[in-house]
Amino acid sequence: CARAMAPPSARHFECVLIDLDDCLYPRGTGLDVHCRERIQRHMHAALGVAHEDVPDLCLRLYQAYGTTLAGLVAEGRHGDIDHEKWHAAVHAPLPYEVALQGKDEALRAMLQRLPQRRIVFTNADRAHAETCLAILGVRDLFEDVICFETLNPDNPLRAGASVLNKPKAEAFEHALRLARADAATTLFCDDSRRNVEAAAKAGIFAVHVGGEPGTEPPEGVTVAIDCIKQLPGAVPQLLELPPEKLRN
């Protein structure tokens, strides 16, 4: 961690929403590569997508819909999709222990400094999120996990349906309701440019984590940090929550 501090802001924060993959833990673990390989394999083996078409289709759907699964469902060409089977196929075989390398004491210490309510907000499924949080040793520091099943309780996903996920504005609105939080007093961290831009448009104070050095900040975003452990230094008012708002 070594970049970027934030301009001051007069806002105070009562709730912190943090993305999971490549945000709560850093890029470079290899989980994203393993996951992409599993997704592409499943698209070919289970959904019948021609092997040579899989990479381009996977990328196009991700860019257009936020996740590949959301795009497959929305375009409806492969019928209804059982999201439990999908997530089991693309996440369950991942080498979590090797990739995440156990408890992250520095991450835990940083989170413990934050007096706000802390909630994970991820597009991934609950099993994936819970596995990562347990290995990192920080699950007990989060009040809740807002995940795929939280936003999309129905299974299977009907062909042509709209899957709710970041960066859709409705996903942020729903997450705020579930968190019992106000956009004006919520801070959101994510490694995705489009996700932090969507959060900023929703009135949430957004922090971009792990962006490429030298790039322009995402639209509406004033804070960029290399890794999540920089958060208290980048947004010092996080440590200044009024006593009446402290977590019980």
Side-chain angles (χ1 to χ4, degrees):
C1 291
R3 185 176 70 171
M5 298 299 107
S9 168
R11 296 171 73 159
H12 77 276
F13 303 103
E14 298 174 13
C15 181
V16 177
L17 301 177
I18 304 180
D19 176 50
L20 175 66
D21 296 306
D22 296 336
C23 181
L24 195 61
Y25 64 82
R27 294 184 181 183
T29 64
L31 282 181
D32 58 336
V33 176
H34 284 286
C35 186
R36 183 166 60 250
E37 291 174 349
R38 297 295 307 185
I39 287 173
Q40 293 183 1
R41 191 179 307 173
H42 188 71
M43 288 171 65
H44 174 63
L47 301 182
V49 180
H51 184 75
E52 62 273 16
D53 296 336
V54 166
D56 288 345
L57 177 61
C58 184
L59 179 61
R60 180 181 68 77
L61 294 176
Y62 173 78
Q63 292 176 336
Y65 296 94
T67 69
T68 301
L69 175 58
L72 288 168
V73 173
E75 297 194 355
R77 289 180 290 176
H78 303 284
D80 298 348
I81 296 179
D82 185 315
H83 64 70
E84 292 181 1
K85 291 181 179 179
W86 169 276
H87 287 125
V90 304
H91 283 154
L94 296 181
Y96 289 104
E97 294 283 355
V98 173
L100 297 179
Q101 301 180 2
K103 293 183 179 179
D104 189 332
E105 297 295 347
L107 174 63
R108 184 174 180 84
M110 183 280 291
L111 292 170
Q112 287 177 314
R113 294 180 65 195
L114 303 181
Q116 291 80 12
R117 298 167 53 233
R118 299 176 294 264
I119 297 172
V120 170
F121 181 22
T122 176
N123 282 340
D125 62 298
R126 182 169 296 278
H128 172 75
E130 295 285 357
T131 298
C132 291
L133 294 171
I135 292 172
L136 292 169
V138 297
R139 178 61 183 91
D140 61 307
L141 300 181
F142 287 95
E143 176 183 306
D144 200 359
V145 175
I146 298 174
C147 59
F148 184 90
E149 294 93 336
T150 315
L151 300 179
N152 303 278
D154 294 336
N155 194 40
L157 300 168
R158 299 300 181 187
S162 177
V163 172
L164 193 58
N165 55 256
K166 297 178 290 184
K168 294 178 181 177
E170 295 88 347
F172 286 96
E173 293 167 5
H174 196 40
L176 288 172
R177 287 196 298 271
L178 291 169
R180 306 181 309 282
D182 189 315
T185 55
T186 297
L187 181 144
F188 171 69
C189 300
D190 202 306
D191 64 293
S192 165
R193 292 180 64 90
R194 60 183 174 181
N195 289 351
V196 292
E197 288 176 347
K201 289 178 182 177
I204 300 168
F205 189 93
V207 176
H208 190 213
V209 180
E212 293 295 328
T215 58
E216 290 294 318
E219 184 178 353
V221 176
T222 58
V223 180
I225 56 180
D226 280 335
C227 72
I228 196 67
K229 295 164 193 171
Q230 291 178 319
L231 184 60
V235 191
Q237 60 269 40
L238 281 169
L239 307 179
E240 302 170 359
L241 189 64
E244 68 274 12
K245 297 295 184 180
L246 290 173
R247 299 169 72 244
N248 294 325

